[in-house]
Amino acid sequence: MDQQNPPSLSAPTVPITLLGQREPRIPTAGKIRAGIKVLTKKAASNPRVKALYDDGVVSNATFDEIERKIIEAFPGIENPLVPKNVAWFTVRPNDFPNPALADQILALYGEDRGDGIRRLYRFPVMFPADRWQAVMPHELACWSRNEKRYWSEYGSDGHTRFCKMHAPARIDERTRRVVRTFGGRGTQLRPENDGRCDPENCPEFQGRHCNLTGRFIFYIPGIKSLDAFELHTNSFYALSRAIERFETIAFLRGGRLAGFLDRRHTPFFLTKKLREVSHLDPKTGQPVRSAHWIIELEAPIDVSALLIEQDRDAAIQLAEDAVRTLQGEASRDLQVPALQVAPSATETFAPCAPTLDAPQAPTATGEGAPASTPAAGTEAIYALAATLGVSPERLDAYADWHWGVGWRRNAQGSARVLAELEDFRSDPQGLIDKIAAEIGE
């Protein structure tokens, strides 16, 4: 298993189980909010409502809890809170099953930008799947007070958008009781408009009851939690810009989004940027521009280094294929002859170090080189490590943990270690810090 990146949930096939064939769902256990909610002008004019709101904020209650308490105490006020766009993210203990996680996140990544309050303005994230649709699910949705009434889903063709709703409960004619369902409530197409989702002709969308909603699903480096975290947003601009970055990174990394971005453990970052966005004035129909804090997905990487790393990984794969071919372990459908694969893989590493010899080809009896014989070129590896300030003992401990103790006995194992050292040739302290972080002082 790759030690620097966690396993991805984007497996090519999904096994059929009792609960059906479905996409794996990434469990979440906590919400980071995109902003805050404040009292409407009408609600704020009532001192008792304002006191209830202030008490909730001080006690770290969620805005949903604050709103619920206000509505219960003042039935005449239906929507006392409205969202307010701010430069920071909201992290409140009551939004986490383990409230201590909120304090841990703020302690690690919170900032005091001069107002005496520690807030979350920018923080690192890792995504647990390679498909951006899995880590940034989104939809058009219409909610009632207690449940989601309608929502959008694309058909199997990937182009036709349908409007879905919960199917009405079935009544058993014999017992006159509701039929107990397996696997949750059923769904069906909305009867209107042949089940098509057509926002321009939808009364809920035009009445602002149905809106775009999405969320980012991620892990936060340094925060110990088996479940992921989520950040909700209804910003078309934030979601669209994130898709552009996801697709760019996936292209540069051969389809991968999960885990760290490179071998130096560079994560994505979520932050906010103040940008001017345009929208149509609902009365005049004319475009209007206004400034908003928009969620921004950052990937602070050197693109050229990322492309080099991808080329190197491809070369390592070629070297592994060559070794398997020489050892008689190549699959029958391998189309490239062994004598054509092995030299190209060897030449790939030639500029970095002396050519690494492949293991001895097996004899007719199936016997190869002795297992205890190190691959040629290990002396050069130890010499390079020494110039970077890493002793042979320290390198052995790190390489054995990272690639397994067999790396000395085969060419591709030695090539991996050599490539790692070459990455840090201009940053020796970075290598020392990485080894310390992974195996300790």
Side-chain angles (χ1 to χ4, degrees):
M1 182 183 297
D2 189 346
Q3 296 288 344
Q4 74 169 8
N5 286 318
S8 169
L9 296 181
S10 52
T13 59
V14 180
I16 298 176
T17 69
L18 177 65
L19 297 180
Q21 184 170 343
R22 63 182 66 184
E23 289 280 345
R25 187 163 181 256
I26 303 170
T28 59
K31 294 180 180 179
I32 294 175
R33 307 283 182 172
I36 63 174
K37 284 188 175 183
V38 297
L39 290 170
T40 62
K41 186 176 181 179
K42 177 182 177 181
S45 64
N46 187 323
R48 294 170 59 197
V49 174
K50 188 175 185 307
L52 199 57
Y53 173 84
D54 292 339
D55 289 343
V57 171
V58 171
S59 62
N60 282 322
T62 67
F63 291 112
D64 292 340
E65 292 171 342
I66 294 173
E67 188 169 43
R68 194 181 312 116
K69 289 181 179 179
I70 292 175
I71 293 174
E72 290 173 355
F74 302 91
I77 303 178
E78 293 186 356
N79 300 298
L81 301 183
V82 293
K84 182 179 180 180
N85 194 253
V86 292
W88 62 87
F89 301 98
T90 301
V91 185
R92 304 179 77 82
N94 288 0
D95 280 323
F96 298 83
N98 177 7
L101 290 176
D103 293 334
Q104 293 176 21
I105 293 171
L106 286 174
L108 272 178
Y109 304 115
E111 303 174 54
D112 178 354
R113 295 192 174 182
D115 58 2
I117 303 175
R118 194 173 184 86
R119 296 189 175 103
L120 188 65
Y121 293 90
R122 183 176 185 266
F123 61 101
V125 297
M126 292 170 52
F127 295 105
D130 291 329
R131 293 178 61 250
W132 65 259
Q133 294 90 341
V135 299
M136 198 189 73
H138 58 284
E139 62 186 354
L140 287 168
C142 174
W143 289 80
S144 66
R145 175 164 295 185
N146 298 319
E147 66 173 3
K148 186 162 59 173
R149 292 181 61 198
Y150 309 117
W151 64 92
S152 65
E153 282 186 13
Y154 278 92
S156 58
D157 60 2
H159 298 284
T160 306
R161 190 171 60 239
F162 294 99
C163 184
K164 303 291 288 291
M165 61 181 290
H166 290 294
R170 290 173 48 210
I171 304 296
D172 189 307
E173 294 183 359
R174 181 177 57 85
T175 63
R176 307 308 301 169
R177 300 182 65 179
V178 174
V179 175
R180 183 184 177 201
T181 59
F182 176 75
R185 297 174 65 182
T187 62
Q188 66 176 41
L189 294 178
R190 185 179 179 181
E192 294 84 358
N193 198 33
D194 296 326
R196 300 292 183 94
C197 175
D198 184 7
E200 286 74 15
N201 295 306
C202 173
E204 281 76 22
F205 184 84
Q206 295 301 321
R208 299 183 181 274
H209 302 299
C210 181
N211 296 291
L212 175 67
T213 178
R215 58 193 177 121
F216 295 93
I217 300 175
F218 49 84
Y219 290 97
I220 302 178
I223 303 299
K224 297 179 180 179
S225 173
L226 181 61
D227 293 330
F229 304 101
E230 55 186 309
L231 170 65
H232 286 252
T233 180
N234 59 3
S235 169
F236 174 85
Y237 297 95
L239 297 173
S240 298
R241 290 176 66 85
I243 291 173
E244 293 173 358
R245 281 161 173 73
F246 278 138
E247 291 180 339
T248 301
I249 292 296
F251 173 77
L252 295 174
R253 298 183 68 211
R256 296 208 63 200
L257 291 175
F260 290 107
L261 293 172
D262 55 27
R263 294 179 181 272
R264 297 191 179 187
H265 291 186
T266 303
F268 286 94
F269 281 85
L270 284 172
T271 186
K272 286 189 175 185
K273 296 290 178 65
L274 187 62
R275 299 189 181 279
E276 281 200 350
V277 298
S278 63
H279 64 277
L280 294 179
D281 185 284
K283 295 181 179 179
T284 65
Q286 296 299 313
V288 178
R289 297 185 67 85
S290 56
H292 291 274
W293 288 100
I294 303 296
I295 296 173
E296 189 92 356
L297 179 66
E298 297 180 343
I301 53 172
D302 180 348
V303 173
S304 61
L306 198 62
L307 291 172
I308 291 172
E309 182 171 311
Q310 184 177 345
D311 290 342
R312 184 191 61 191
D313 289 342
I316 290 175
Q317 183 62 51
L318 284 174
E320 292 174 345
D321 292 342
V323 171
R324 286 195 295 270
T325 300
L326 291 171
Q327 293 177 340
E329 299 174 1
S331 58
R332 293 183 180 180
D333 59 349
L334 185 63
Q335 300 296 319
V336 183
L339 291 179
Q340 295 179 10
V341 176
S344 63
T346 304
E347 291 166 4
T348 303
F349 297 107
C352 300
T355 302
L356 304 181
D357 296 335
Q360 181 181 347
T363 64
T365 59
E367 296 177 354
S372 60
T373 303
T378 52
E379 295 83 358
I381 292 175
Y382 288 119
L384 177 56
T387 65
L388 299 176
V390 179
S391 67
E393 296 77 17
R394 191 75 171 155
L395 178 64
D396 283 343
Y398 171 68
D400 289 354
W401 176 86
H402 205 72
W403 291 282
V405 295
W407 69 269
R408 303 171 189 80
R409 296 193 293 270
N410 59 78
Q412 71 270 27
S414 298
R416 288 182 184 274
V417 178
L418 180 61
E420 178 85 351
L421 297 179
E422 288 289 347
D423 274 353
F424 289 94
R425 185 183 284 273
S426 61
D427 183 18
Q429 188 59 46
L431 176 63
I432 294 171
D433 293 342
K434 180 179 179 181
I435 292 175
E438 297 199 17
I439 66 173
E441 297 294 342

